[in-house]
Each structure stands twice: as structure tokens, then as C-alpha cells.
């Protein structure tokens, strides 16, 4: 995915949902399932990066605790 344009959180999440649907359908051959799994792992990592970034921004904006 590094040679593609960066995905927004929503784009990555929607693509991940599609990957999960395909895998859960059980109608794809094993080789394609493995490719989908790898794609899903990458998409999940993109989503996690977005969530981690949002969490860091929220924590930075909070006043320090006493």
C-alpha cells in the first residue's frame, strides 16, 4: 500500500469491511483468501495508525492532571 495514495481512516475501514465480507463468505479460493488476509492486515494497521494519532491529539489537548 505504500505506492498508493494514503488512505483516510474511512477509506481504510470501508475497504477492511469489504475484505472481511469476502473472507467470511467462504466463496474465495485459498490463494485469494491469503491475499485478502494480507490486505486486511495492512488496512487494519492503517486504521490503527489513524486511531493512535487521534488519541495522541486528544491527550495533547487535555490539561495536565494534578
Amino acid at each position: 500500500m505504500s505506492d498508493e495514495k494514503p488512505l483516510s481512516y474511512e477509506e481504510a475501514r470501508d475497504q477492511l469491511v469489504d475484505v472481511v465480507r469476502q473472507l467470511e463468505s467462504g466463496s474465495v479460493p485459498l490463494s485469494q483468501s491469503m491475499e485478502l488476509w494480507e490486505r486486511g492486515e495492512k488496512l487494519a494497521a492503517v486504521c490503527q495508525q489513524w486511531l493512535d494519532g487521534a488519541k495522541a491529539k486528544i491527550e495533547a489537548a487535555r490539561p495536565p492532571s494534578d
Side-chain angles (χ1 to χ4, degrees):
M1 285 193 320
S2 60
D3 51 337
E4 299 173 5
K5 76 172 183 98
L7 295 173
S8 69
Y9 172 79
E10 292 78 7
E11 291 169 327
R13 182 201 58 215
D14 291 346
Q15 289 182 27
L16 182 56
V17 167
D18 185 53
V19 166
V20 170
R21 277 192 200 122
Q22 290 180 60
L23 288 170
E24 287 180 340
S25 76
S27 63
V28 293
L30 180 59
S31 60
Q32 187 178 355
S33 292
M34 295 303 297
E35 291 174 8
L36 286 168
W37 180 269
E38 291 172 3
R39 175 85 175 141
E41 288 289 327
K42 291 177 183 176
L43 290 165
V46 170
C47 289
Q48 191 62 54
Q49 288 174 347
W50 276 105
L51 293 172
D52 290 345
K55 182 179 178 182
K57 286 181 181 179
I58 290 169
E59 289 175 355
R62 285 186 177 162
S65 307
D66 291 334

